[in-house]
Amino acid sequence: MPNPLSNDTFEAVVLPHLDAAHNLARWLMRDAASAEDVLQEAMLRALTYFPSFKGVNPRGWLLQIVRNTAYASMNLNRGVDLVPITTGSDEGEDVIARLPSGEDDPETTLIKARERERVRQMIAALPIELRETLVLRELEELSYKEIADVTHTPIGTVMSRLWRARRLLAQAARRDEAA
Amino acid sequence: MPDCNKVLLVQAELDGELGAAEAASLAAHRAECPICQTAAAELMQARALIRDDLYQPVADDVRQRIMAALDAARPARRPQPSAAATPALPQWWRGWWSPWWSSGASFGLGAACAAVLAFFLIMPAMPPGLTEQVVAGHVRALQPGHLQDVASEDRHTVKPWFDGKLDFAPPVKDLAAAHFPLTGGRLDYLDGRPVAALVYQHDKHLINLFVWPGAGDEAPQTAERQGYNIVHWSQDGMNFWAVSDVEMAQLKQFAADWRRTP
């Protein structure tokens, strides 16, 4: 039911969650460009469906749209592009963009950036259903119930996925330290 | 996985998901269970790895492009006299197609564009808000005393009951021969308007069929939410949304029987 007035509240209700939407898209997709494509399409879908949104959890609603869009996009691209795009330039820029922080000396900053990149790779290496559960919990700080809603998964499955994700992460960290 | 069925509770406690009573009884167990102690240590180790700087907020240039795309999509979403020229495309599609078209190759998608187009024309996405509302309506109806306002297996009783309660006359069909007997009906509220809800039965399962006026003729589409199956379609100027815990194949059969029955 198109209602021009509801566009005004789209700004107030949905746009505050653009960062969350990007964060999830970026963790689901392999590179920044496809994450942006997914984000754009998801936001446009959200704009279209917004008049029929009557829930109380716009962030969960938006994340659900982002996730559906990302999965649809991955299914479409399957077979078209099986070779992972190297993260080199993309992530390099990302690291450099975060480097100047002023409060640390350059060496500490570099170590921090390396550490962050190391953990990022460990999380990126997780199977997607574990990765999304972990990201929704640890970075978006959603409750189990909210994660269950966003991922259309029973809460018991959310709990066991989270557990597996964390174990794999802890194991990877131990291997990393040993090496 | 360590062999103690409480490790997921240990995790739930660390995530702040347990009530005080549960947490207390778990603490007693944990004090005596080496498996749970190891699990707790491992979980805390994993959690310590993930710091806030892994959060990836949207960059300014991306934000600007998204905002521009949203602005470009807006006029296309409003009802326009020219809308009749492209009736086959859903409005949101026209909306997000146009900025792509005008900003040319910047997305570098090439053939993927065609694939996306084909995908969405074949499988138009269902509006998520409405799907959730339909499931919520179904779940609400299953609570004691909410299922039906008029209980009858006779469609000649159920149909007149809606007279004067709605601004339309919902079709009511008898599908007992197809093993979907009618059990009654009630009023419900969906998508910002009062709708008719017809209740059918299949074995021990209930099917809620929500009906309200719509346009066009759409083949059935399916969805699944919270363990419930949903089939929706439109015909004869009405929208139909069937939701139930019966298997999808049976719900599709229900939709097919409904569509066939005069």
Side-chain angles (χ1 to χ4, degrees), chain A residues 49-176:
Chain A
Y49 296 145
F50 184 64
S52 63
F53 169 68
K54 299 199 176 57
V56 290
N57 186 355
R59 187 164 62 128
W61 177 74
L62 181 63
L63 291 175
Q64 204 169 26
I65 297 178
V66 169
R67 179 181 178 273
N68 291 346
T69 310
Y71 273 67
S73 152
M74 284 182 270
N75 278 333
L76 278 179
N77 291 327
R78 187 170 292 164
V80 177
D81 175 18
L82 284 174
V83 183
I85 297 163
T86 55
T87 54
S89 64
D90 181 28
E91 294 312 323
E93 275 169 33
D94 197 31
V95 168
I96 289 161
R98 287 164 194 264
L99 274 181
S101 74
E103 59 200 62
D104 296 318
D105 65 85
E107 199 182 343
T108 318
T109 310
L110 191 63
I111 291 170
K112 271 193 179 170
R114 268 196 206 134
E115 214 165 86
R116 187 174 62 79
E117 178 57 18
R118 196 172 55 94
V119 179
R120 196 198 62 78
Q121 282 173 2
M122 288 177 199
I123 299 174
L126 294 173
I128 190 160
E129 72 274 11
L130 303 189
R131 191 179 348 132
E132 67 180 1
T133 311
L134 188 73
V135 165
L136 289 172
R137 173 64 220 169
E138 295 287 19
L139 294 174
E140 295 301 339
E141 295 176 353
L142 297 193
S143 69
Y144 289 179
K145 172 74 174 64
E146 288 173 312
I147 299 173
D149 289 345
V150 170
T151 58
H152 310 306
T153 308
I155 285 189
T157 311
V158 169
M159 291 166 77
S160 62
R161 283 181 180 172
L162 197 51
W163 163 249
R164 276 155 60 208
R166 284 165 162 164
R167 277 204 85 203
L168 287 172
L169 203 60
Q171 284 168 4
R174 280 199 298 271
R175 266 202 312 275
D176 206 59

Side-chain angles (χ1 to χ4, degrees), chain B residues 148-217:
Chain B
Q148 44 211 10
D149 298 329
V150 50
S152 170
E153 296 172 8
D154 181 2
R155 68 192 179 100
H156 299 296
T157 304
V158 174
K159 188 174 169 63
W161 181 84
F162 286 109
D163 286 347
K165 299 185 177 72
L166 292 167
D167 57 359
F168 62 99
V172 179
K173 297 180 183 179
D174 181 2
L175 298 179
H179 305 290
F180 295 105
L182 178 70
T183 74
R186 68 174 191 287
L187 291 179
D188 214 310
Y189 193 82
L190 280 178
D191 203 26
R193 63 158 301 138
V195 304
L198 303 174
V199 185
Y200 289 85
Q201 198 167 358
H202 186 68
D203 298 332
K204 297 276 177 202
H205 305 277
L206 291 167
I207 299 170
N208 265 293
L209 179 66
F210 297 97
V211 185
W212 68 97
D217 222 335

Side-chain angles (χ1 to χ4, degrees), chain B residues 10-50:
Chain B
V10 169
Q11 174 179 249
E13 194 208 356
L14 290 173
D15 284 325
E17 295 265 348
L18 285 195
E22 287 172 299
S25 80
L26 181 72
H29 165 81
R30 217 170 96 173
E32 298 174 352
C33 176
I35 292 168
C36 283
Q37 288 162 16
T38 313
E42 196 161 40
L43 288 170
M44 285 191 278
Q45 188 192 358
R47 292 211 317 179
L49 286 170
I50 303 174

